[in-house]
Amino acid sequence: MTPEQIALVQSSYAHAQDKLPELGAAFYRQLFTAHPEVRELFSTDPEIQQKKFTDELSEIVASVHQLPTFLETARELGARHLDYRTRARHYGAVGDALLAALIEVLGPDATEDTIAAWRLAYNLIAETMQQGAAEAARQRAMRG
């Protein structure tokens, strides 16, 4: 990601700070509408789950300009998602839901460049999370 793309992600997220509950709700609405089969993976109260989602997203966005921290945060998140039964096929659905939720919540601030920057950021997050999940799975297999 370029410094300009990082700035777009961070500035657009800063604009959404007062709408984080709306962003969390929009994300899950988009995800469950497009992929109702994933609803069974979520057993936590929806409001708590939405807050967890926006908290994690906030942490990732805050670290996006510090690549080592960003990658470590994403790897750890991926390892935790292994316990949630998240599979590789889920990452595309989550990315689509995130982008749709951002477009909904940001409104006119969701420019093509902004969404393209978010798409790149999400792809990096998703790839790194999957690496973290694979590493965790290997470690667990080695321990027996």
Side-chain angles (χ1 to χ4, degrees):
M1 291 183 68
T2 67
E4 294 80 14
Q5 291 166 324
I6 291 170
L8 280 172
V9 167
Q10 290 184 320
S11 66
S12 62
Y13 197 70
H15 286 14
Q17 284 301 298
D18 61 339
K19 299 178 183 177
L20 290 184
E22 184 181 333
L23 179 62
F27 168 75
Y28 285 104
R29 186 175 54 257
Q30 294 284 345
L31 181 62
F32 295 153
T33 298
H35 300 278
E37 71 279 4
V38 301
R39 186 181 297 268
E40 70 183 26
L41 300 177
F42 298 90
S43 59
T44 305
D45 175 87
E47 287 185 23
I48 294 170
Q49 188 64 44
Q50 291 167 16
K51 175 83 167 94
K52 284 182 179 182
F53 170 76
T54 57
D55 286 351
E56 290 291 347
L57 191 58
S58 295
E59 187 177 335
I60 289 169
V61 170
S63 69
V64 73
H65 66 286
Q66 302 166 332
L67 189 60
T69 302
F70 174 80
L71 295 175
E72 184 58 29
T73 299
R75 269 191 218 83
E76 290 172 3
L77 187 59
R80 285 197 312 268
H81 276 73
L82 184 63
D83 292 331
Y84 305 147
R85 299 178 295 154
T86 304
R87 301 294 177 253
R89 68 183 180 275
H90 298 132
Y91 285 91
V94 167
D96 292 344
L98 174 60
L99 295 176
L102 285 164
I103 290 167
E104 179 180 325
V105 171
L106 291 173
D109 291 330
T111 66
E112 284 185 38
D113 288 344
T114 298
I115 297 305
W118 272 98
R119 183 173 286 110
L120 285 173
Y122 178 77
N123 288 342
L124 180 57
I125 293 164
E127 182 178 320
T128 307
M129 284 179 68
Q130 290 178 74
Q131 289 171 353
E135 290 166 15
R138 277 194 299 277
Q139 289 174 356
R140 289 178 188 178
M142 289 173 47
R143 282 183 267 172

